Amino acid sequence: MKHSAASDLIVSWAPPEWFCNSFPLEAPDQRIMTMERLVFLLQTLLDATSEENYTPLQKVLHVAHILVTMQGNDGLWPSEFDLVTAAPLSPKRSDAPLPLFQRLNAMLASSEFEHSLRYAQEKKQGSS
């Protein structure tokens, strides 16, 4: 089985009762995550996906579907958030999930995340 750099970083997964359930954790008691770090971990998991092992892709898809629900009215995501509630922990916003969504669409030959990508783009153009 292909070794994943993510397996060296991810020590646990958020419990099912948390809003951000099954998100990767770098410490067993972790409750705060930055969007940039989360996306880095997810991209690293995707790197471990192979024809023999789709489990990393399945885990990333689960998190990506939750990320879609966390997209704000401004087309962006909280830069830092509470994993238990998904509540933003600062006013800073992030577009970090966009390359992840593009990669997933390409890997799956689908348009599954096109709505989130388009919404972010429309909001960006509207604020320019």
Side-chain angles (χ1 to χ4, degrees):
M1 183 184 293
K2 188 175 177 180
H3 176 73
S4 164
S7 63
D8 295 335
L9 301 171
I10 299 168
V11 300
S12 190
W13 299 89
E17 64 272 14
W18 290 9
F19 184 91
C20 298
N21 67 82
S22 299
F23 276 44
L25 303 177
E26 295 178 287
D29 58 350
Q30 182 177 0
R31 290 184 56 135
I32 296 172
M33 179 70 78
T34 67
M35 192 59 68
E36 286 71 19
R37 186 66 182 167
L38 174 63
V39 170
F40 170 80
L41 293 170
L42 296 175
Q43 293 278 21
T44 304
L45 274 172
L46 280 181
D47 292 343
T49 299
S50 66
E51 288 186 23
E52 298 81 33
N53 184 11
Y54 284 96
T55 301
L57 173 61
Q58 293 167 338
K59 290 180 179 206
V60 172
L61 279 171
H62 169 77
V63 174
H65 289 128
I66 293 173
L67 288 177
V68 167
T69 71
M70 293 172 64
Q71 188 174 21
N73 291 334
D74 60 357
L76 301 173
W77 289 261
S79 184
E80 184 178 40
F81 59 96
D82 182 303
L83 289 161
V84 179
T85 65
L89 298 175
S90 81
K92 289 180 61 181
R93 307 295 286 160
S94 173
D95 65 357
L98 297 176
L100 175 70
F101 289 172
Q102 290 168 334
R103 183 176 181 191
L104 286 169
N105 277 351
M107 285 179 79
L108 300 170
S110 81
S111 60
E112 186 167 352
F113 298 98
E114 192 59 37
H115 176 76
S116 287
L117 292 164
R118 194 171 338 123
Y119 187 67
Q121 185 63 33
E122 288 169 3
K123 289 297 183 175
K124 184 178 179 180
Q125 288 173 346
S127 67
S128 306

